[in-house]
């Protein structure tokens, strides 16, 4: 079955955007996955086609109306009743490789992109949407977040990545950052590629990479390092 993304947005022309290129673009052209957009503005009912209004309680910006968003969600669910419904917001749970993997194994997702200062909370509750953030920074809208999520999922679909092994091995699969990579030339600007990588000794290469991955994770991502250590303590052979 084809993995399917239905994107609800005020800016359908932003899609497929970067996903029309490279690995994701080729997979899209092959039909390994499908991308549809729904223009939220099509569900506006007044003559100005308004989709937002000022926030109750005051404050800057505009909030997307629950009635308009709800009608757009209904249209998406009519097309794709079995897909999980995700809304992008900096208030959401942080997206992880674990969640990406689970979504890639499923049938796809309906992705609601908020704009302005957010979406009326009632429609998020009413539809029991899963709220996802892609990081602790604020985007001007959910569209780049939807593109990030789709890219991360699509590359995991069967047949999309050249070498299946590289997916399993890389960053986060084992809770560590990826080890650094080198290619030719062996010496560049007085910097030489570590000797062990050119030794042909596969066991030594694996040990060096493991040590680098651990050292870099400890230095750069103490949060990941703590989680990794806790896991290693609970199951020392894992
Ligand atoms: N919308 C605005 N900022 C966002 C973020 N960091 N993640 C997901 N959606 C967003």
């Amino acid at each position: 079955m084809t993995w399917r993304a239905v994107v609800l947005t005020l800016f359908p022309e932003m899609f497929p955007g970067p996903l029309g290129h490279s690995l994701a673009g080729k997979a899209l052209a092959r039909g390994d996955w499908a991308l549809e957009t729904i223009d939220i503005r099509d569900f506006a009912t007044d003559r100005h086609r308004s989709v937002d209004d000022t926030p109750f309680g005051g404050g800057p910006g505009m909030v997307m109306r629950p009635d308009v968003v709800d009608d757009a969600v209904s249209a998406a669910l009519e097309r794709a009743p079995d897909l999980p419904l995700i809304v992008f917001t900096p208030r959401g749970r942080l997206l992880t490789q674990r969640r990406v993997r689970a979504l890639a194994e499923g049938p796809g997702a309906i992705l609601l992109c908020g704009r302005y200062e957010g979406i009326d909370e009632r429609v998020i509750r009413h539809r029991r949407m899963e709220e996802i953030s892609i990081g602790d920074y604020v985007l001007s809208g959910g569209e780049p977040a939807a593109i990030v999520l789709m890219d991360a999922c699509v590359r995991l679909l069967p047949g999309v990545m050249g070498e299946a092994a590289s997916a399993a091995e890389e960053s986060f699969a084992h809770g560590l950052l990826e080890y650094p990579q080198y290619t030719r030339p062996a010496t560049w600007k007085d910097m030489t590629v570590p000797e062990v990588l050119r030794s042909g000794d596969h066991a030594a290469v694996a040990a060096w990479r493991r040590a680098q991955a651990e050292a870099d994770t400890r230095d750069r991502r103490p949060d990941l390092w703590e989680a990794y250590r806790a896991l290693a303590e609970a199951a020392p052979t894992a």
Side-chain angles (χ1 to χ4, degrees):
M1 206 184 55
T2 305
W3 197 84
R4 183 179 186 195
V6 179
V7 178
L8 295 164
T9 174
L10 289 168
F11 301 96
E13 63 280 4
M14 286 193 189
F15 299 89
L19 299 176
H21 301 272
S22 191
L23 276 180
K26 287 189 185 118
L28 187 59
R30 274 200 306 269
D32 288 347
W33 69 292
L35 173 58
E36 300 157 52
T37 56
I38 292 178
D39 189 342
I40 297 170
R41 198 171 297 279
D42 288 346
F43 300 87
T45 51
D46 64 340
R47 85 195 153 80
H48 299 108
R49 301 187 79 204
S50 56
V51 295
D52 55 359
D53 209 333
T54 54
F56 278 117
M62 301 290 269
V63 177
M64 287 171 75
R65 292 169 52 128
D67 51 349
V68 175
V69 170
D70 193 59
D71 285 349
V73 168
S74 287
L77 285 168
E78 260 166 45
R79 285 199 205 178
D82 299 325
L83 300 189
L85 175 56
I86 289 168
V87 60
F88 294 102
T89 161
R91 283 165 41 82
R93 281 240 186 100
L94 272 185
L95 184 62
T96 60
Q97 189 64 23
R98 176 191 299 272
R99 186 72 190 108
V100 165
R101 230 177 280 132
L103 284 167
E105 283 166 9
I110 298 169
L111 305 174
L112 170 59
C113 304
R115 274 271 145 178
Y116 314 118
E117 271 47 58
I119 299 173
D120 188 298
E121 182 70 12
R122 292 167 294 180
V123 67
I124 295 172
R125 295 279 80 78
H126 173 65
R127 293 291 188 170
R128 301 174 191 279
M129 297 179 197
E130 176 182 357
E131 297 173 77
I132 288 183
S133 165
I134 62 161
D136 291 336
Y137 41 79
V138 182
L139 305 168
S140 54
E143 286 79 5
I147 287 169
V148 164
L149 183 144
M150 288 187 281
D151 183 280
C153 288
V154 165
R155 60 186 290 287
L156 297 181
L157 300 177
V160 172
M161 285 232 309
E163 240 182 298
S166 49
E169 230 203 88
E170 68 202 321
S171 268
F172 303 114
H174 301 115
L176 290 174
L177 298 180
E178 177 72 293
Y179 47 78
Q181 299 278 14
Y182 300 89
T183 186
R184 277 179 285 276
T187 300
W188 179 74
K189 292 194 189 294
D190 289 340
M191 291 180 280
T192 300
V193 173
E195 186 62 41
V196 59
L197 297 180
R198 294 177 287 145
S199 68
D201 181 340
H202 298 301
V205 167
W208 182 88
R209 285 178 165 170
R210 181 72 175 215
Q212 283 291 314
E214 293 189 352
D216 289 344
T217 305
R218 195 186 323 114
D219 291 348
R220 299 172 180 200
R221 292 292 302 274
D223 56 328
L224 291 182
W225 181 244
E226 273 318 305
Y228 175 77
R229 289 263 304 246
L231 252 184
E233 251 159 61
T237 49

